[in-house]
Every structure is written in C-alpha cells, then in structure tokens.
Amino acid sequence: MKASDVFVKALENEGVEYIFGLPGEENIDFLESVRKSGKIKFILTRHEQGAGFMAATYGRLTGKPGVCLATLGPGATNLVTPAAYAQLGAMPLVILTGQKPIKKSKQGKFQILDIVKMMHPLTKFTKQVTHSSNIPSVIREAFRLAQEERPGAVHIELPEDIAREDVENPRLFDVVDFKMPYAGKETIAEAVKMVKNATKPILLIGAGANRKRASIALTRFVDTIGIPFFNTQMGKGIIDERHPLYLGTAALSDYDFLHEAISGSDLIINVGHDTIEKPPFFMHAGDRRKVIHVNFFPAEIDEVYFPQLNVIGDIANSILQLTEALEPFARSWEPDFFLKIKENVSEHLAKYEKDDRFPVLPQRVVKIVRNILPDDGIITLDNGMYKIWFSRNYPAYIQNSLILDNALATMGAGLPSAMMAKELNPDKKVISINGDGGFMMNSQELETAVRLKLDLVVIVLNDSAYGMIEWKQQDEGFSRFGLHYRNPDFVKYAESFGGKGYRPSSVKEFQENLEEALNGKGIQLIDLAVDYSLNHEILNVLIKEYSSKFKK
C-alpha cells in the first residue's frame, strides 16, 4: 500500500472526521489519499491559521484531536500560532505538515526550514516520518499524547518521498483508551479536613473542569454541600450561572467587585484552574487563606500561586469523593456573607445594561445578546476589550456556550472557532463576536463559511482602534498613540462574499437586526459601532476605589 494511503488509514483508525487545511505540492499525494478515503471530510481554508483554529476548536468541543494540514516552509510557519493556541488552551490538536524529499535533494534548500525543531517548544510531541513503515505507530503515539491530560498540540512532518513509498503489510494499532487514576483516600481526607475547618470556603472552577462528567459532579457538589462558587473566564458555564450560589466570573486578576468575596474567604477549592490561564486571584506570602488544588496534574508553583494541598487525579471522581465525605456537614457554611457581595456585584454589573446611548456600550450589547440568544445558543469571542465585558456580564447556562481563549489570548481565532462550533452544532444559534482589529486578521474565512453553507451571525464591534491597548495606555497615563486605523465598509465586505450585512444606527435597530440575522440563512454580519469611553472610569478607577475599602 502507498505510504500516504497508510497514513490516511491510520487517521481513519483514530476516528478522524475532518482535516482542515491548505495543502501544497509537498502533500498532494496525501491529499489524493484523503480524496480516495471517502471517510474524512477535507475542509479547505483561506489561511493556515483558520485551519488550525478550526481544528483546535474541534478538539476543544469534542475532546478528540482535531487535525489540520499545511505544506512546508511558510505554510508550516503559519501554524505556529494555532499550535500555541491549542497547547496553552489544552485543546487536542494534530498538526500535519509536508516537506521536500529527504533521501534525495530536489530543489536545494528552497523553502526548507527545520519545522520539527521549530514546533518543539510549542507542542507535546513533534516528529518527522523518516520511514514509511513507522507511520501507524507515529500516528497512534501522536494522537495518544494530544488527548492525554493535559491535552495539547502535536506535530507530524511527512516528507514528499516518504509519502510515495510502498509499505508492505502495514499494521494499524488498536486505539487503547485510558483512565486517569483516582486521588488517594489520604489526600481526600486531608482536603475534607481543610474544608471542615474553614469558616468561609469558596469554590473556583477553571478550564480543566470543562468535562461533562466534571460538570455533573461539580453541580451536585454545589447543590449538596452549599458552598458558593465563581469561575475563570474559560470555566464559564460548567455550572449553570443562574444557580443561586454563583457569585460571578473573575475576568480580572484583582481589584474587581468579585474580589471582595475572594479576599473574604479563608479557603479556595480550586478545581481545574492552572496558571497558564490568566490568574483569577493572587496568593500572597502570609495569607490566612488556604488553597486546595484539584486537577489532573499538580500545581506549578508560581509567585502568585502556591496551594497548600494537591488533589491529583480524575477531577470528576475527586469531586464525587469530596461530596460524599462532606455531605454530613452540608450547609454548615452560611453563604450570607458571599450572597451580600453577590448582590453588590450584580448591582454594579447591571448599571449600564439598559443604557440606550449610541454608539452602544458593551454592557448593553451583552444584555441584548443574552436576552435574544436561546439558552443553548453559542457565542465565540475573539480577543479584545469586549471579552472582559462578556466574561463579567454574560451568564452562561451550559458548557461551551461562551467560547473564549484566556491562555494564549490570540486575536483572529474568533471567527474560525464560531465556524467550527456551527459545523458541529447545525441546529443551534451561533454568534461570532469580534473586535474590528481581530476580525480583519482572519476575515477571509468568511468565504470558507459561505462555501460550507453555514448559517452564522458575525458581530463586528467597530471602534476603529485596538481598544484594549488604548484602555491600557489610558490606565498608565500615556497619550493615545499608534492604535487607530480605518476600516473597510463591513456591510459591502460581507456582501462581496455572498453574505448579508447590517449597520444599525440605534440600539433598537441593533436588536431588530440581531433577531433577523439569527433567523436568517448564510452569513449575517452586523457592523456595530461601540462606545468604550467608560472603560477607564469603571475598570481602572471605580473598582480600584471600591476594592481599597474592603482590603483595609
């Protein structure tokens, strides 16, 4: 059998459904093998980043490795950012790249880079296939590592001449499942003791707990034990945020209204968070507050994170063990202290959500979207100022209904992520929310979305600037400089791809446009003028003044 055919058979053996990519002459044999397969859907994208972000989001939403493809040289280098995106965000991703023949020079050093060496610091595993008989074992090992906790990116390079070799009697390897070990009874007992000795315990939920079994176990824990909870940005929706014991989301590391609850606690049960995601709170030497780290792997010690206990093993099982052990002491911890803070947090967050000024305030955008989008609707966020407002103000009701990245936090991933979410959930309403800067970084993927016949709403928050950095400039007392640009006509831009565009001139018109877009077919883009003028006052001044009072 031809080696490229063996490669594709090995991918089929792993259950691969999609390959996203932009191939080149070095992998046309592989592409032909995919065509003959009939079992794997190849999705051509307009840029390798789009392919990588779609594949990583597939991994994030399914738990199975997503697969993306690029050629050598510039094609492969364009997958550096998606590799880092998946690696830091714990998304299982398999990156396939081509290469010139390695047994005989074809074109000298033209386009040749050491891609394996380049991918080494960005992935869990990177390897060049040097013999066709090794293809099945290399693929099995790559997929195993991509999916194993902590999930991440892996890379395989298939040279052109190896892909064309003949393989005698190829052998595929069984896909052997594995289970994470359970935390030891002594460790669980120590955690129970720490919780029983606490007077104001609080639960933190991070991205690592975004597993179906963990979501069920955590919901039962909160319902049974009665300990209030908050989450990180990437932990949103793991427990329904309509829950009466939900306190809020730590969209900032410090000085937010929510941090009054964190500062007032004496124990944080930290489930699924690690320091790769932007910290939701800081630990300090001499703190009376203790932290229990519950995760698949031990805590990495940092100046701002050094927990007193590691509970390591399958997260769902650890939480179930804690629930059973603590059930006799359920409701021993009165939540009144935290619930009063929750009322204050809710009051502050709601302040501008009914303000109808135009250009529209981000708080108002969040409120309108939440009111109109069905409970099971999905939002994907690119990276920008609005991510803070959606994290703080948008209640997520189910897992993976607000998809964002707070690990690499790269711009340009929001639209491809939404395309993947819609492809996997064709019956759900999906909205891609982007700043104008991030949108333009991969806006060419609108053509891919149209070609895939996706019914997708895209909101572009238009302020003609890199708004988050402008906010940071203002906080530092610097003059506004170097961050403003001119945008194209986004309505005509959408129409040029075969979509429909809207440009509302009032909040009322935006609501009407959004409702129409959600019920429309194909790509529906809303060019929405946004007003970030209150960012500095609220996020730099007001909350710091407030936090200085409760920290005294």
Side-chain angles (χ1 to χ4, degrees), residues 299-547:
E300 293 186 23
I301 302 304
D302 188 274
E303 287 186 4
V304 298
Y305 189 64
F306 40 92
Q308 284 76 23
L309 179 66
N310 283 295
V311 179
I312 306 307
D314 179 75
I315 286 179
N317 182 268
S318 296
I319 296 302
L320 288 174
Q321 289 189 71
L322 287 173
T323 304
E324 291 171 0
L326 289 168
E327 190 166 6
F329 308 96
R331 309 292 165 178
S332 298
W333 305 273
E334 291 296 330
D336 292 353
F337 167 78
F338 294 110
L339 295 182
K340 287 179 181 178
I341 295 172
K342 177 183 178 178
E343 290 179 9
N344 179 63
V345 170
S346 298
E347 181 182 344
H348 280 286
L349 294 184
K351 185 172 182 181
Y352 294 101
E353 64 182 16
K354 295 182 179 180
D355 191 314
D356 281 342
R357 75 183 71 181
F358 198 88
V360 65
L361 294 174
Q363 301 95 313
R364 187 72 172 113
V365 175
V366 174
K367 184 65 173 178
I368 290 170
V369 171
R370 179 66 282 178
N371 286 345
I372 293 177
L373 193 65
D375 288 2
D376 66 348
I378 298 171
I379 292 174
T380 69
L381 300 178
D382 202 84
N383 276 279
M385 196 65 226
Y386 50 89
K387 189 175 77 171
I388 293 176
W389 293 112
F390 269 88
S391 298
R392 297 168 86 237
N393 292 50
Y394 186 90
Y397 302 155
I398 59 176
Q399 281 180 278
N400 294 319
S401 59
L402 183 64
I403 299 172
L404 57 87
D405 165 32
N406 202 34
L408 183 65
T410 179
M411 299 169 73
L415 177 59
S417 294
M419 291 162 56
M420 190 71 256
K422 185 63 180 182
E423 174 75 14
L424 291 173
N425 300 277
D427 298 327
K428 293 184 178 181
K429 304 294 186 184
V430 179
I431 302 176
S432 172
I433 299 180
N434 312 261
D436 46 8
F439 173 70
M440 287 302 293
M441 291 184 180
N442 273 309
S443 63
Q444 72 281 346
E445 298 305 339
L446 286 177
E447 188 279 326
T448 308
V450 170
R451 185 166 16 97
L452 293 175
K453 297 181 170 60
L454 299 178
D455 299 329
L456 182 65
V457 177
V458 179
I459 299 176
V460 180
L461 299 175
N462 192 340
D463 68 335
S464 297
Y466 292 112
M468 176 169 278
I469 310 306
E470 190 171 54
W471 166 56
K472 296 286 187 181
Q473 276 185 336
Q474 196 170 4
D475 185 35
E476 295 291 336
F478 297 135
S479 299
R480 297 180 182 183
F481 176 76
L483 300 172
H484 287 257
Y485 43 74
R486 292 180 62 186
N487 282 317
D489 185 325
F490 287 125
V491 171
K492 291 181 180 178
Y493 191 68
E495 291 171 351
S496 72
F497 286 105
K500 183 175 181 180
Y502 307 81
R503 185 177 296 109
S505 58
S506 68
V507 168
K508 182 175 183 294
E509 192 176 353
F510 167 56
Q511 291 175 301
E512 294 169 350
N513 290 164
L514 182 57
E515 289 176 348
E516 181 181 344
L518 281 170
N519 292 313
K521 294 292 183 181
I523 297 301
Q524 307 274 323
L525 185 147
I526 302 174
D527 176 4
L528 182 61
V530 64
D531 179 0
Y532 286 136
S533 63
L534 298 181
N535 286 349
H536 177 68
E537 178 186 344
I538 295 174
L539 298 177
N540 293 338
V541 179
L542 180 60
I543 59 175
K544 289 182 180 179
E545 289 177 352
Y546 183 84
S547 65

Side-chain angles (χ1 to χ4, degrees), residues 143-167:
F143 274 76
R144 180 187 73 81
L145 289 169
Q147 202 165 1
E148 188 176 85
E149 295 290 349
R150 188 178 190 266
V154 299
H155 166 246
I156 303 172
E157 181 177 83
L158 180 63
E160 185 179 347
D161 53 345
I162 302 298
R164 292 175 176 171
E165 288 183 347
D166 288 326
V167 184

Side-chain angles (χ1 to χ4, degrees), residues 167-188:
V167 184
E168 292 186 10
N169 302 316
R171 172 197 171 190
L172 299 181
F173 292 84
D174 293 337
V175 177
V176 180
D177 199 7
F178 64 91
K179 291 185 178 180
M180 290 292 298
Y182 294 163
K185 292 182 179 180
E186 291 183 2
T187 303
I188 294 293

